[in-house]
Amino acid sequence: MSYAIRAGLVLIAGIAAATFAVTTQAQQSQSFKPSALPNPYRLAEGWPSLPLSMNGGQWGEVIRVHVHRDGNIWVFHRCFNTVPPGHATCVGRGDSNPPILQFDPAGRLLTSFGVGLFAYPHGFTVDEDGNLWASDVNDEAVILGLSAKTADGAVKGQEVLKLSPAGKVLMMLGKMGVAGNGPDTFDRPTGIAVARNGDVFVSDGHHPNKHDNARIVKFAKDGRFIKAWGQKGAGPGDFDEPHDIFIGGSQERVYVADRRNKRIQVFDQDGNFLAAWPQFGTPSSVFVGKDDTIYVGSSFPDATAKKGELRGIMVGSVKDGSLKAFIPDPGDLDKVDVGTSASGIAADDAGTIYAADVGTHGLRKYLKVK
């Protein structure tokens, strides 16, 4: 039986038939405008509060955000830096610019750490035990004339670090400074998701990378390699810059923001392909709540919009792939050099949304209007 037929059978078994209608409609309707969807959200102005001691209280590039089950919000950002644009570095930023911050829901800073650990922050999540997982996609020994090496000579980057809630390094996946496509190496790992049983899933392959990595790598809780799936391509289960990954929803499936293929892909935790959804636009981030609501930081081509694209947060359902709402990006694209908006996204159980912005340099919080 061919791979395409097997994938189709899995899809039929695992996804409601309505998914086909939604996907086909999105593929066929070139006139679809996400702005036609309702926007039942309002921006929480002035959230969070950054101390003036941190870059004068001004954000730089913010790449990821995560809401822990205790309600506190963790942020992974590029040390309040904005250069190089779109992939700002933490190298040389000093003790007053830590890349990991924790806020309470009111926006008060609770803790910060991580100075010296990262060169190019990217993937980030928090597991059930409160441990942090963060990736570094740097592959350069020198950035802006500054050395990206550690004290022992390794180039920072190409690894995933597991940190305690206090910032102690507990584990490393991959090899710092070493690019590869084997079971113990990455080439610019973009995201991390941790299942309830502790299995760790890493999306591997930020464009461009030396080995054309475009895959998901699965590890056991102790860091033991289990399997990898995917290759560079556009077929079912293939990837072209898997930019973010999340495990969530009532069925705890694996959702991948397959950015350059302009789709969300859905898998079970064994890597079996279930669906590909282009209706969510060109995704940079993905989050799925316990209630099966999916949130995607995305962009859509729009000849009438600035720079030919409309950016925003798409809200839908993973039960059938349907689209429910669209929050247009409040940022002015004329002021954006390089970098996406909502490069990281998260929501709490009440449906409050948090968006991390690389291009527009900020962190947003949206409340659902009742």
Side-chain angles (χ1 to χ4, degrees), residues 6-46:
R6 285 188 288 110
L9 292 175
V10 172
L11 190 151
I12 292 169
I15 301 293
T19 299
F20 291 102
V22 172
T23 301
T24 303
Q25 181 181 20
Q27 288 174 323
Q28 293 178 348
S29 178
Q30 300 299 318
S31 61
F32 168 71
K33 288 186 178 293
S35 53
L37 292 167
N39 176 19
Y41 296 88
R42 65 174 179 86
L43 183 66
E45 300 289 349

Side-chain angles (χ1 to χ4, degrees), residues 104-128:
D104 67 15
R108 292 182 291 264
L109 182 66
L110 300 177
T111 189
S112 61
F113 51 78
V115 170
L117 290 180
F118 307 96
Y120 185 176
H122 206 279
F124 184 77
T125 195
V126 184
D127 65 24
E128 290 286 312

Side-chain angles (χ1 to χ4, degrees), residues 238-242 256-263 265 283:
D238 294 339
F239 303 101
D240 192 351
E241 194 179 28
V256 182
D258 187 10
R259 184 156 77 174
R260 294 172 71 86
N261 278 326
K262 298 178 171 57
R263 62 190 182 183
Q265 290 206 70

Side-chain angles (χ1 to χ4, degrees), residues 134-200:
S135 78
D136 191 332
V137 295
N138 179 58
D139 61 357
E140 299 178 284
V142 178
I143 308 172
L144 300 176
L146 300 171
S147 173
K149 293 184 178 182
T150 64
D152 59 5
V155 176
K156 297 175 186 176
Q158 305 288 26
E159 83 286 345
V160 171
L161 295 182
K162 178 184 179 182
L163 307 172
S164 74
K168 180 182 178 181
V169 176
L170 303 176
M171 184 189 299
M172 179 188 294
L173 299 178
K175 296 179 180 178
M176 186 175 289
V178 179
N181 53 14
D184 59 352
T185 53
F186 304 114
D187 199 349
R188 310 188 82 195
T190 57
I192 312 103
V194 182
R196 287 187 180 274
N197 68 354
D199 286 349
V200 182

Side-chain angles (χ1 to χ4, degrees), residues 7-349:
L9 292 175
V10 172
L11 190 151
I12 292 169
I15 301 293
T19 299
F20 291 102
V22 172
T23 301
T24 303
Q25 181 181 20
Q27 288 174 323
Q28 293 178 348
S29 178
Q30 300 299 318
S31 61
F32 168 71
K33 288 186 178 293
S35 53
L37 292 167
N39 176 19
Y41 296 88
R42 65 174 179 86
L43 183 66
E45 300 289 349
W47 189 97
S49 299
L50 274 176
L52 292 177
S53 59
M54 291 182 170
N55 199 44
Q58 300 296 314
W59 287 105
E61 294 182 356
V62 188
I63 183 65
R64 292 287 157 86
V65 59
H66 185 96
V67 184
H68 190 47
R69 62 183 179 183
D70 62 7
N72 291 330
I73 298 94
W74 289 92
V75 180
F76 195 38
H77 69 113
R78 293 170 181 165
C79 301
F80 302 106
N81 204 0
T82 60
V83 291
H87 49 101
T89 184
C90 280
V91 173
R93 291 296 288 168
D95 293 346
S96 62
N97 299 286
I100 296 175
L101 309 176
Q102 184 193 37
F103 295 91
D104 67 15
R108 292 182 291 264
L109 182 66
L110 300 177
T111 189
S112 61
F113 51 78
V115 170
L117 290 180
F118 307 96
Y120 185 176
H122 206 279
F124 184 77
T125 195
V126 184
D127 65 24
E128 290 286 312
D129 297 325
N131 297 306
L132 317 178
W133 298 78
S135 78
D136 191 332
V137 295
N138 179 58
D139 61 357
E140 299 178 284
V142 178
I143 308 172
L144 300 176
L146 300 171
S147 173
K149 293 184 178 182
T150 64
D152 59 5
V155 176
K156 297 175 186 176
Q158 305 288 26
E159 83 286 345
V160 171
L161 295 182
K162 178 184 179 182
L163 307 172
S164 74
K168 180 182 178 181
V169 176
L170 303 176
M171 184 189 299
M172 179 188 294
L173 299 178
K175 296 179 180 178
M176 186 175 289
V178 179
N181 53 14
D184 59 352
T185 53
F186 304 114
D187 199 349
R188 310 188 82 195
T190 57
I192 312 103
V194 182
R196 287 187 180 274
N197 68 354
D199 286 349
V200 182
F201 297 73
V202 179
S203 51
D204 183 26
H206 194 289
H207 178 82
N209 60 78
K210 301 171 185 175
H211 294 82
D212 277 341
N213 285 13
R215 61 178 185 162
I216 306 301
V217 191
K218 180 180 179 179
F219 300 88
K221 187 175 184 178
D222 61 2
R224 175 178 51 85
F225 172 81
I226 296 177
K227 69 184 302 182
W229 76 84
Q231 60 184 355
K232 191 167 184 178
D238 294 339
F239 303 101
D240 192 351
E241 194 179 28
H243 196 261
D244 194 16
I245 185 170
F246 192 80
I247 295 175
S250 58
Q251 295 179 292
E252 297 188 5
R253 289 175 169 152
V254 179
Y255 298 86
V256 182
D258 187 10
R259 184 156 77 174
R260 294 172 71 86
N261 278 326
K262 298 178 171 57
R263 62 190 182 183
I264 295 292
Q265 290 206 70
V266 189
F267 303 87
D268 67 20
Q269 292 189 26
D270 289 322
N272 295 308
F273 171 81
L274 300 176
W277 290 336
Q279 62 266 33
F280 290 91
T282 300
S284 290
S285 56
V286 59
F287 178 92
V288 180
K290 296 176 182 177
D291 64 351
D292 288 321
T293 299
I294 183 172
Y295 307 85
V296 180
S298 60
S299 66
F300 295 81
D302 187 337
T304 65
K306 286 185 176 180
K307 296 189 176 180
E309 70 174 9
L310 180 63
R311 294 182 176 185
I313 298 169
M314 184 63 78
V315 183
S317 172
V318 298
K319 292 179 180 178
D320 57 7
S322 59
L323 307 178
K324 304 296 186 183
F326 182 72
I327 307 171
D329 191 339
D332 186 349
L333 281 184
D334 281 350
K335 297 180 181 179
V336 176
D337 186 357
V338 179
T340 57
S341 304
S343 297
I345 197 163
D348 63 20
D349 291 345

